[in-house]
Amino acid sequence: MSSISVVVLLLIVLQWAGRGLPSSVRPICDPRVLDRFIMEARDTETALRGCKAGCGVTGTFVVPLTNVDFVVWEKKDTGLQALEVQSGLSLFGQALGAVRESVSRAAVQILIDNNKSNIHSLGQVLRSLHIQDLSLPPAPAVGDSVTRKVSSLSELLRVHTNFLRGKVRLLLTNAPACQQNST
Amino acid sequence: MQCLRPLRHSGWDESKRPHAYHGTLLLAIQIAQVELKNMGKASIVHGAQALETKVALLLHVEPENPKCFAEGMWDLTCFWEEDEKRAGSADQYSFIYTYQNENSSECAVTALPAAGGKRLYFCRFSQTQLFVPLDIRVFQDGLLIHNRSLFVELVFLLDPPANLTVTSTGKQGQLKASWLPPSLKYMSDSMMYEVSYAMAGSHIGKVEEVQASSELILRGLQSGTKYKVRIRVKLDGISYSGYWSAWTDPVLMETMPGDLDPLIVSLSLIIALVLTLLSLIVLMSHSRFLLKNIWPIIPTPESKFQGLFTVYGGDFQEWLGHSTGGLWLRPAYFYSEEFPAPLEVLSEVSLGPALPPKASEALGEKGEEEEDEDKKLKRVDSALMEGWRETPQEHWLMDQLRAFHQHPAPRSQSSLLESHDAYVTLNAQNHSGEEPLDDILEETLPLQVLFASGRASSESRSDLGSLQQSSGSGRLSSQSSFEYPNHTWPPKGPGYTYMAVADSGVSMDYSPMSSSKIDDIGKGVIYTNEYKNEIPAHRRPIGTPIHFAF
């Protein structure tokens, strides 16, 4: 009995410690990682632009706003920036998941799956930069001012690309964890 | 989304430089005013020159209207060109731009005269938003003349890099170009540079691209030549994109003067070394030949005269006096002459008392010895057998003389020597069918064969066999002439063939003699060489002459 209790105590301690400790993953500061994701998103967008009737995808999707005003952006706190990015990524994840289910062609499915995995990887990258992952549900309530609705697959993919190129990239390149390494 | 593909500037032709606008100063002031109004920042750094070049650039590369470019993160400049006849004042135009999901905004239009009777209308606005589509509409007197949708982050047209410096790296054929990247935040790692370098005075240059760097080493250049280097910048196109910037002013730099290429120097040294080694080897292998020609050896006769120089110091007389020298000479003396034959053919008549002193002595020395004719003849045999030697010959002669002494024979007028004559005759039992011995006899045949007795064979006539036969058929009867000092050969009869054998040591001469001839010969002294023969068991009464000679 005493041994079991010791083990349980040990597990609790470890979990608590593990939760508090930052991830031991080295920060991923290479911009080429995100560049690859951006290029793949752009390729998907280009490939499915000629899709007739939206590739059979119907419905509306909630997407984040992609516009960046530098003046405004710079004034924002890094945490808020991170929040914007992570909420937007989660929205895209959800939208792409919905698209995946309604798409029948295998080629389209492969592309969508690829983008979905990229979004997951981006979450890992953000975590490596010690940016807390707030994209996990329950997602904090984001106002409508930062989202909008799209109704076609091509629009969704275009917004997705713009989001990656803009806010996500800005956040990653200016992450504090990477500032010591960069010149 | 429009895909802007900036065209590349090729070549170094300066002819397409934009013309000098006489209103450039005015434009610069206007731009400065606009900037100050909109942004509140002092951006008078933008010289009119830079603007002109950019405008000229875009006029070449951008087909769409209005042509817009962003110089940084905070503003966008758009312009369009209009013909003189269609152009109006700036007030006639309205520039409306709308971001996605936002309200429209208007931009103030300014006009500038351009070359060729055209006019340029500019609109510049700040607080741009990136990563969102931007709609631009241009109206002239309420009519839409231009419509365009673009992304601001995709129309960057940067200033050329500043502070381009070209230095020598310290190595041959290399130059290092370094520059200052445009100071744009968030975009320094997205910048792409193109370095163009050419020899001064040449229009053909090479181009090298480099990403996100601020220096480049140019390799493969010629030594000791002047190069002009220039650079331009562009965003790489992944996140941000744009047009190639204008070229910087060329910077001249001379490469290091051409040293002796270390490779060539080392190669030539190696070749020289190899050639030297080869020549040395050749010299060594032909050293003897060369030494002979250059330093010939003086021949000395030392090898022939042992000890002449070493022991006697060149004194020939002394050297001769010692035996080692004498012996040396003898063989030469020996070989110079032919081997003296112990017996020689002499044809002399009546020596008389002229007996060789030796022989007379010998006769006197030896005591009485009873010797058969056989023994004598056998001695002859043995002497013959052994060869022509002086000493046995002498012994035999002496014996013969002694024998003569012992058997006092009636002396005739002929000398003792005469009485020594011996003749050999071949007796043929059956003298019928006897063939002349001439045919059979050959010089090289041993006499033993010739005079083989008691052999009656009827063999065919081979060389030796014939002789045998012929000789076998007959009997040898030889008698010493000692027994018949009177030199009267009792003729044996017509059946007997007499043969005179004359041997000079080299050849033997057999000549048949007739009895009459014998008589004649008997009168003289004939000296012939010995030859061996077998003596028949019994003596024939008929004397057999034996010729012998010294």
Side-chain angles (χ1 to χ4, degrees), chain B residues 4-79:
Chain B
L4 302 172
R5 292 199 188 277
L7 297 175
R8 188 170 274 223
H9 242 345
S10 61
W12 280 85
D13 45 344
E14 307 282 351
S15 58
K16 292 191 179 161
R17 277 198 78 110
H19 305 278
Y21 295 100
H22 58 266
T24 51
L25 186 59
L26 185 64
L27 176 62
I29 292 165
Q30 280 180 335
I31 287 166
Q33 281 177 344
V34 166
E35 281 185 55
L36 283 168
K37 211 178 356 176
N38 292 344
M39 295 165 56
K41 293 180 184 177
S43 313
I44 310 172
V45 183
H46 293 294
Q49 186 88 16
L51 187 64
E52 280 177 24
T53 51
K54 285 182 182 176
V55 164
L57 235 149
L58 274 182
L59 282 171
H60 275 107
V61 298
E62 182 58 65
E64 290 192 37
N65 272 318
K67 304 177 200 314
C68 300
F69 60 92
E71 287 172 311
M73 295 259 194
W74 300 275
D75 51 40
L76 184 71
T77 308
C78 291
F79 67 93

Side-chain angles (χ1 to χ4, degrees), chain A residues 31 35 38 42 65-71 74 148 155 158 162 165-166 169-170 174, chain B residues 73-74 100-102 128-132 151 153-154 185-186 189-190 237-240:
Chain A
D35 288 347
I38 291 167
R42 196 159 56 185
L65 296 175
T66 58
N67 56 326
V68 171
D69 190 342
F70 276 108
V71 179
E74 278 179 328
R148 65 187 187 95
E155 182 75 20
R158 193 168 67 154
N162 293 337
R165 287 194 299 122
R169 196 171 199 280
L170 282 169
N174 297 297
Chain B
M73 295 259 194
W74 300 275
Q100 196 176 48
N101 299 337
E102 281 193 15
T128 52
Q129 290 190 25
L130 277 67
F131 310 107
V132 284
F151 282 86
E153 74 276 4
L154 301 181
K185 232 177 161 182
Y186 316 121
D189 55 349
S190 310
I238 298 170
S239 205
Y240 305 100

